Amino acid sequence: MNNGMKAANTLKWFAWITFFIGALLFVTHVSDFRAENFGLMAAIGFLIAASNIFLLSVVFRLLHLEPNS
């Protein structure tokens, strides 16, 4: 496994960790739905960050594919 694939796998794990932190924060703070609720706003930020990290892991994986010769 080359370094690009290792980086993609590491990003995938970071994305899952970020997603679970965001989901946990979201579940615990969703009842008080307002802009001043920092826990809910942080949860939404974690969930958006997780999707961006997933996207980066896919890009890393696609950029480091070796052609089948």
Side-chain angles (χ1 to χ4, degrees):
M1 185 183 291
N2 62 17
N3 287 338
M5 290 299 185
K6 287 180 187 176
N9 286 336
T10 303
L11 281 172
K12 184 176 69 170
W13 281 106
F14 282 149
W16 277 114
I17 292 167
T18 306
F19 174 78
F20 285 122
I21 292 171
L24 179 67
L25 282 172
F26 188 80
V27 167
T28 58
H29 292 92
V30 73
S31 63
D32 189 20
F33 196 81
R34 56 189 171 87
E36 291 83 22
N37 186 351
F38 180 74
L40 182 63
M41 297 301 124
I44 293 170
F46 270 99
L47 293 173
I48 292 171
S51 65
N52 287 326
I53 297 169
F54 271 123
L55 178 67
L56 284 175
S57 74
V58 170
V59 169
F60 267 59
R61 193 171 306 279
L62 290 174
L63 287 176
H64 291 93
L65 288 178
E66 296 181 12
N68 295 332
S69 306

